[in-house]
Amino acid sequence: MKSNFFTIIKKELYRFFKDPKMIFTTVFLPGIIIFIAYSLLADGMNASQEVNKNYHSSAYIENLPKSLESIVKTENLNIENFDNLDDAKKRITQKNIDIAIVFPSDFDNKIKNIKNSINLNNSIKIELYYNSSKKESLYVYNNIVSFFNGYENSIIKIFDINTNTSDISTDVDRTSSMISSILPMMIIMFLFTGCMNLAPESIAGEKERGTIATLLVTPVNRTEIILGKIISLVFFALLNGISSFIGIMLAIPKMMNSNNNINIYKINHYISILLVVISTVLLIISLISLISTLSKSVREASALSSPLMIISMLISITPMFNVEFSDFYWRLIPIFNSVLCLNDVFSFNINSINIVLTILSNTVYSVFIIMIISKMFKNEKIIFNA
C-alpha cells in the first residue's frame, strides 16, 4: 500500500514540477501580486492624504479678532479677500480656496464676558466652511478645529483629563489590532484561491480528459489514489498560502505607513499559524476535491466551489466586528474556527486548547470528507459521469 500511495504522490508532484508556468503561478506569483497590489494601494492612500509641509492654505476670514491673529501664521494661511461669504463658499466648492472662517463681530468682548461670568451657556458661534473632497481643505479644517479646541481649553478649563498620558497603548498593540482584523480574511481568501486553482484540475480535469479511467484500471486501491492526490494538493496549496502570506507580511508596513518590519511575532506565533493553516488547507482541499469529484469538468467544479468561497469570505470578516466568541463550540465550526484562531494569534491571545480543538476538528472533518470521496471513487456513475 505504501508503494502505491507514494507512486500517486510522485505522479502528482511530477505533473506539478514539470510545468514551470504552474510553479511560477502557484508558488511565486501570488506573493508578488499581493505585495505589489497592496504596496501600490498603500502608496495611493498615503499620497491622497499627505499634504506638502510647505503648503500655505488659502483662507477667507471674516471678523478676525485681534486675540486670534496668530492663527494666520500658525496654520500657514494666505488670506484671500472676497466681497462676501457666499463668494468665498463658491470658491471653496470650486477648490480655488481651502477654508472660510467667520467670527462674531464682537468675539473678544464675548470672550471677556465668559471669563468674568464663567457662564458656559454663553457659547460663541464660529462658522467653518471647507471642501472635504480636496485634501488640503480637509487638512487645514482639521488643524483649525484642533487649534480652536486648544484655545477653548485655555479659556475655561473645568476638567484636566490626562492631557499628556491619555493613550497608553503601544505601537505593538496598535499594529496587532490592525493585523488581526484583516490578515485572517486575507489568508483564508488566498488559501481558497490556491486550492480552487489546483483541486479541480487534479480530479475534475482528469475526469474531463478521460485519464482518470487509465488510473483506475491499475492495481491501485482507489482510497490510495484519492489520499495521494489530496496529500499532493495540500502540499501545493501550502506553497501558495505561504507565498501569499509572505507577500501580505511584507506589504503591511507600507499599508501602515511605517518603515518598521513586522518583528512583533515570535516563533511560537508562527508555528501556531502554520499548524492552523495546514489543517485549514487540508479541510479546504477536501471540500473542493469533493465538489470536483461530483463535477464533470474543471469549469463546473470551479463554478460550484465559488459559493463556498464566498461564504468563507463572509465568515472571515467577523474579527472586524470585535464580537466575542469565547465558548469552545465556536472552535468546532469549520473555517470559522480557523479564522478565530488566526485572530487570536495575531492579537497575542494564544490559547493552546483552542488551537488544538481547531486543528483536531479540521482534521476530523477532512478525514470524514476523504472517506466520502473514497466511496464516491468506487461509484462508476460518478467517476465516469454516467
Side-chain angles (χ1 to χ4, degrees):
M1 178 176 176
K2 285 185 178 180
S3 175
N4 293 333
F5 174 71
F6 286 111
T7 299
I8 299 298
I9 293 179
K10 287 179 182 179
K11 170 186 172 295
E12 294 296 320
L13 291 175
Y14 176 75
R15 181 178 66 85
F16 178 82
F17 285 109
K18 76 174 183 178
D19 188 349
K21 292 182 180 178
M22 184 174 289
I23 295 174
F24 179 73
T25 55
T26 302
V27 179
F28 299 105
L29 191 60
I32 294 172
I33 290 178
I34 292 166
F35 175 74
I36 293 175
Y38 281 98
S39 296
L40 291 175
L41 178 63
D43 289 340
M45 291 174 61
N46 292 332
S48 67
Q49 296 174 358
E50 289 180 356
V51 175
N52 192 316
K53 293 181 179 180
N54 298 321
Y55 180 79
H56 289 265
S57 300
S58 53
Y60 167 82
I61 302 181
E62 191 173 295
N63 302 322
L64 176 62
K66 290 185 178 181
S67 61
L68 288 180
E69 288 180 350
S70 62
I71 193 175
V72 176
K73 184 176 181 180
T74 303
E75 302 301 331
N76 288 332
L77 300 179
N78 287 329
I79 305 301
E80 303 287 345
N81 295 316
F82 298 105
D83 295 336
N84 50 55
L85 177 62
D86 290 335
D87 189 18
K89 290 163 67 175
K90 182 179 179 181
R91 298 295 182 92
I92 293 174
T93 303
Q94 297 171 347
K95 300 183 179 181
N96 293 326
I97 66 170
D98 299 317
I99 196 165
I101 311 172
V102 180
F103 293 94
S105 57
D106 53 348
F107 179 86
D108 286 338
N109 289 331
K110 287 186 175 181
I111 291 294
K112 291 179 181 179
N113 292 334
I114 289 177
K115 286 182 176 180
N116 294 331
S117 64
I118 314 297
N119 186 349
L120 299 180
N121 293 321
N122 293 334
S123 60
I124 301 175
K125 183 179 180 182
I126 302 174
E127 299 177 39
L128 297 178
Y129 301 93
Y130 69 106
N131 188 338
S132 61
S133 64
K134 183 183 179 183
K135 63 181 179 181
E136 292 84 2
S137 179
L138 179 60
Y139 175 79
V140 70
Y141 167 79
N142 290 329
N143 284 353
I144 288 177
V145 168
S146 177
F147 176 90
F148 284 140
N149 287 336
Y151 182 73
E152 181 182 38
N153 289 333
S154 69
I155 297 172
I156 300 178
K157 192 172 183 180
I158 299 177
F159 299 111
D160 187 1
I161 309 174
N162 294 346
T163 54
N164 295 322
T165 58
S166 57
D167 188 359
I168 59 174
S169 66
T170 64
D171 290 337
V172 170
D173 294 330
R174 291 187 289 273
T175 300
S176 64
S177 177
M178 175 184 174
I179 292 175
S180 63
S181 65
I182 62 174
L183 263 192
M185 177 191 68
M186 291 181 176
I187 291 174
I188 295 297
M189 180 176 68
F190 294 127
L191 290 180
F192 247 103
T193 302
C195 292
M196 286 180 64
N197 289 336
L198 297 166
E201 176 62 31
S202 179
I203 300 177
E206 290 209 24
K207 290 174 66 177
E208 187 176 4
R209 293 187 298 270
T211 54
I212 193 74
T214 305
L215 183 62
L216 293 177
V217 296
T218 60
V220 181
N221 187 294
R222 298 191 179 188
T223 301
E224 296 175 15
I225 293 174
I226 191 61
L227 281 176
K229 281 184 171 291
I230 287 180
I231 295 300
S232 303
L233 290 171
V234 168
F235 173 74
F236 303 145
L238 275 177
L239 292 179
N240 182 284
I242 291 171
S243 174
S244 302
F245 181 74
I246 292 173
I248 293 170
M249 296 300 287
L250 292 176
I252 281 178
K254 299 199 71 174
M255 294 181 67
M256 298 180 63
N257 197 21
S258 171
N259 294 321
N260 297 323
N261 295 322
I262 302 300
N263 294 324
I264 58 177
Y265 297 109
K266 308 301 180 184
I267 186 65
N268 60 319
H269 295 98
Y270 289 109
I271 292 174
S272 300
I273 293 169
L274 180 61
L275 293 175
V276 172
V277 166
I278 290 174
S279 69
T280 307
V281 166
L282 179 61
L283 177 61
I284 295 173
I285 280 290
S286 301
L287 288 169
I288 299 179
S289 296
L290 176 65
I291 294 172
S292 186
T293 305
L294 290 168
S295 304
K296 297 179 181 180
S297 65
V298 174
R299 180 178 295 181
E300 182 181 347
S302 299
L304 293 175
S305 300
S306 295
L308 183 62
M309 181 178 179
I310 293 171
I311 293 172
S312 298
M313 292 304 98
L314 293 175
I315 291 174
S316 64
I317 65 174
T318 49
M320 295 183 179
F321 300 105
N322 294 320
V323 181
E324 187 70 27
F325 297 99
S326 56
D327 296 321
F328 82 94
Y329 52 80
W330 293 111
R331 311 291 166 164
L332 304 178
I333 301 175
I335 305 298
F336 186 59
N337 54 6
S338 300
V339 172
L340 292 179
C341 266
L342 291 172
N343 178 260
D344 289 344
V345 173
F346 288 126
S347 302
F348 298 99
N349 296 321
I350 294 181
N351 186 311
S352 300
I353 295 176
N354 289 338
I355 292 176
V356 170
L357 276 175
T358 297
I359 294 172
L360 284 179
S361 61
N362 285 344
T363 304
V364 170
Y365 296 140
S366 301
V367 170
F368 180 70
I369 294 170
I370 291 171
M371 291 172 61
I372 295 175
I373 297 173
S374 179
K375 289 189 176 182
M376 291 170 62
F377 259 64
K378 297 176 183 179
N379 190 318
E380 305 295 331
K381 290 185 178 180
I382 294 176
I383 295 302
F384 297 106
N385 301 321

